[in-house]
Amino acid sequence: MKTVSSLVRQNILLATSITTLLLCSLFIFFFTDYFYQLIDFVSLGIREYFGAFYLWLGLICVFFLIGIAFSRFGKIKLGPSKPEFSRLGWIAMLYSAGMGAGILLRAVQEPVFMFLNPPLQTTDSADIIALEYTFYQWGFTAWAFYGIFALLIAYSLFVAKNRIKLGHSLPQLKSVKLLPQGVDLLTILTTVFGLVAAIGLGTTQIEGGLSHLTSTPPGNLWLTVVLVFLICSLAFLSAYAGVEKGIKRISTWNIFITLLLLFFVFFQIDIPGSLERFVISLYQYIIDFIPLSLALGTYDPGKEFLTDWTYYYWAFWLAWAPFTGIFIARISKGRTIREMILGVLLIPSLGSFFWFSVFGSASFDLIDQGAAYNQEFGNVFTSIFRFFEYFPFSDLTNIVAVLLLVSFLVTSVDSAIFVLSMFSDNGRENPRRKFQLIWAVIILIFSEAIIVLGNVRPDSDVLTAMQKFLIISSLPFAFFTAGIMVLFLRELYKKH
């Protein structure tokens, strides 16, 4: 049996990925200030010159998928067998992998920020604008980025019978020397950077929740380090157990507990008011979707706002799109293209919209009814824990929220480990477990390095820098996404 070291030496893609990540870590550590300045300068330049491109790309991805779903190509079945997973299990896995801890991180803080700082100058009330713009940033466009890669890989794997590798997914890519390897390397690096940023944000929120519960000052480095180790270890065990026994079970647990928290809040607030806001905001989002997507006229929140919010979100969704899309493709075997696209675009989006409507409406009412609002919901890491203090059993609900954060992070990381292992193991649909161990260790080391560095250099926010770095690393994928839509459409017309 090959040792890990010999496995890495004989696998060029794996060796190159590990070497690049190691060199990147060393560069960040020894040239921290220069790294920040460089990342800040380049990311601002990208958002300045390519911001409109990001917006157009998001809109085009949504209509591209809708067009494919309702065309004759939508009837194409992804493999001859029946669906491998039930519809409920499928929805649970794709939602847990695609959004996860983010809906807890932003459940209260983002709608409240939009409520107090309306990004649009329309005739709608502040609460409707807040929810509409939150829907926009968490809705169809985000899932369209995932859906593009899910469609490409699912078709390549189950219809064209290719390997699970982006670089080998289309004949036009394979015809250019070294291009497949370059695409696969870029996919791996972008996935790791996006995942590390999510782990950093998620573990910081968990640490903030534990500090809140124990009434201790937040910012405990060693607790955060232990949390990262715990998340990566549990994710490895989940991925090791496989999709059916590990990832599916945890994902189903996530959805069940999320629904419990959702309805716990829903049945204690103004239900008619919450439902009214949900319906009106959803209607406004749909009819305003095109001007919102292109920031036209009164739907332009300004370059500064777009830079801080929308451009960053689009870059984050793009950074997560390869591994999330590949994972969605892997679990969509046996479904039609139409079912996969509509399921990916609609079901998770509507679920997120209702979630934000409930937590957002409750927060708006608390602010309006309170004697004074002192930014209790302004901190992204502690807002949801402060929010639960206004309801009964706050200690219990906060403990459940912390456990759910851990569980959501685990499902995101185990999905990434599974997909990265498929890439490294020559595109196998069920990668060997030694590759999963390698990637669990690599992600653990890189995440710990970034967390520790962020505390060693308190004057520089490493996590913020990593988020800005996503703007840079996702730009090639933005162009790649535009290109593969054209190539994939040509392939469909040629073969069907």
Side-chain angles (χ1 to χ4, degrees):
M1 188 175 180
K2 293 180 181 178
T3 64
V4 170
S5 59
S6 65
L7 196 66
V8 173
R9 286 197 301 269
Q10 296 175 29
N11 190 311
I12 296 176
L13 178 62
L14 184 60
T16 306
S17 303
I18 294 174
T19 302
T20 305
L21 290 169
L22 178 61
L23 291 175
C24 185
S25 300
L26 291 173
F27 180 80
I28 293 172
F29 187 80
F30 287 108
F31 303 99
T32 309
D33 293 334
Y34 180 73
F35 171 76
Y36 290 134
Q37 294 171 16
L38 180 64
I39 293 303
D40 190 52
F41 175 77
V42 177
S43 64
L44 284 175
I46 288 175
R47 288 177 287 190
E48 176 72 25
Y49 294 105
F50 296 100
F53 171 67
Y54 273 114
L55 297 181
W56 273 101
L57 179 64
L59 180 65
I60 290 171
C61 284
V62 172
F63 283 106
F64 177 85
L65 288 177
I66 292 173
I68 293 290
F70 289 103
S71 70
R72 69 175 190 269
F73 306 123
K75 298 178 181 179
I76 298 174
K77 192 174 180 184
L78 301 171
S81 62
K82 293 181 179 179
E84 188 175 356
F85 304 100
S86 68
R87 185 169 281 109
L88 180 61
W90 178 65
I91 292 169
M93 284 190 287
L94 71 89
Y95 193 85
S96 293
M99 289 299 167
I103 63 167
L104 285 166
L105 190 73
R106 299 288 191 178
V108 175
Q109 183 264 344
E110 183 167 331
V112 167
F113 180 88
M114 301 295 173
F115 178 64
L116 299 175
N117 307 276
L120 307 177
Q121 302 300 318
T122 65
T123 56
D124 294 312
S125 58
D127 55 343
I128 299 301
I129 291 174
L131 290 176
E132 180 185 0
Y133 209 87
T134 301
F135 291 1
Y136 167 56
Q137 295 189 140
W138 289 82
F140 304 146
T141 310
W143 286 97
F145 288 139
Y146 296 165
I148 292 293
F149 287 91
L151 176 61
L152 175 65
I153 291 297
Y155 179 86
S156 174
L157 179 64
F158 300 123
V159 180
K161 305 299 181 183
N162 293 324
R163 291 178 290 173
I164 304 183
K165 282 191 171 186
L166 277 177
H168 297 80
S169 57
L170 290 170
Q172 296 92 334
L173 298 177
K174 292 186 285 186
S175 64
V176 181
K177 187 177 181 181
L178 298 181
L179 181 59
Q181 294 86 345
V183 169
D184 292 339
L185 177 61
L186 181 64
T187 302
I188 288 174
L189 295 179
T190 306
T191 295
V192 173
F193 290 136
L195 193 65
V196 167
I199 292 173
L201 289 169
T203 52
T204 302
Q205 188 185 21
I206 294 169
E207 191 274 332
L210 293 174
S211 299
H212 182 76
L213 285 169
T214 56
S215 300
T216 56
N220 188 319
L221 170 61
W222 293 111
L223 177 57
T224 308
V225 167
V226 170
L227 286 170
V228 172
F229 178 79
L230 175 66
I231 297 296
C232 292
S233 299
L234 291 174
F236 167 68
L237 293 175
S238 175
Y240 188 87
V243 176
E244 180 70 38
K245 293 182 179 179
I247 299 173
K248 178 186 172 184
R249 288 179 179 176
I250 298 179
S251 299
T252 304
W253 151 269
N254 289 345
I255 297 302
F256 177 71
I257 300 301
T258 300
L259 289 174
L260 281 181
L261 278 180
L262 175 66
F263 288 111
F264 171 78
V265 176
F266 180 68
F267 287 116
Q268 296 186 74
I269 64 174
D270 177 12
I271 294 177
S274 177
L275 291 175
E276 182 181 12
R277 284 177 174 137
F278 169 69
V279 172
I280 294 174
S281 300
L282 177 60
Y283 171 75
Q284 289 299 137
Y285 168 62
I286 292 173
I287 65 170
D288 297 340
F289 183 71
I290 293 178
L292 264 178
S293 297
L294 300 179
L296 299 176
T298 57
Y299 297 92
D300 183 2
K303 186 169 291 185
E304 183 178 352
F305 186 94
L306 288 170
T307 295
D308 291 340
W309 287 91
T310 309
Y311 294 162
Y312 162 67
Y313 265 126
W314 272 210
F316 203 96
W317 303 141
L318 278 167
W320 273 48
F323 92 82
T324 306
I326 292 169
F327 182 75
I328 292 171
R330 168 64 181 80
I331 64 176
S332 298
K333 184 177 182 180
R335 303 187 185 279
T336 63
I337 285 179
R338 179 174 299 146
E339 182 181 6
M340 186 185 75
I341 289 176
L342 295 181
V344 168
L345 277 182
L346 297 179
I347 297 174
S349 296
L350 292 173
S352 295
F353 297 164
F354 189 67
W355 170 272
F356 282 113
S357 293
V358 170
F359 282 84
S361 292
S363 303
F364 303 156
D365 292 340
L366 287 171
I367 292 172
D368 288 338
Q369 295 165 9
Y373 175 65
N374 296 311
Q375 293 297 316
E376 288 88 352
F377 304 144
N379 187 309
V380 68
F381 298 118
T382 61
S383 58
I384 195 166
F385 304 112
R386 299 290 301 272
F387 171 82
F388 280 128
E389 288 182 351
Y390 290 90
F391 296 88
F393 314 111
S394 60
D395 287 344
L396 177 61
T397 51
N398 277 328
I399 291 172
V400 171
V402 168
L403 292 175
L404 187 57
L405 277 166
V406 172
S407 188
F408 264 132
L409 268 181
V410 167
T411 50
S412 293
V413 178
D414 65 13
S415 304
I417 289 173
F418 197 84
V419 169
L420 290 167
S421 300
M422 288 192 292
F423 266 63
S424 304
D425 198 8
N426 201 32
R428 288 194 182 198
E429 188 176 335
N430 293 293
R432 287 171 286 178
R433 286 166 174 168
K434 50 192 164 186
F435 286 96
Q436 296 172 18
L437 176 60
I438 290 171
W439 277 112
V441 172
I442 292 171
I443 290 169
L444 170 64
I445 293 173
F446 196 61
S447 300
E448 297 283 24
I450 295 300
I451 292 291
V452 171
L453 181 57
N455 285 267
V456 170
R457 301 291 182 90
D459 57 319
S460 301
D461 188 345
V462 176
L463 288 178
T464 300
M466 288 300 297
Q467 293 174 60
K468 290 182 178 180
F469 191 65
L470 289 179
I471 302 288
I472 301 171
S473 63
S474 65
L475 182 64
F477 260 106
F479 288 110
F480 179 70
T481 302
I484 61 173
M485 283 191 285
V486 176
L487 296 177
F488 181 68
L489 199 55
R490 287 178 57 189
E491 186 72 8
L492 284 178
Y493 274 106
K494 187 188 299 183
K495 297 292 178 64
H496 303 276

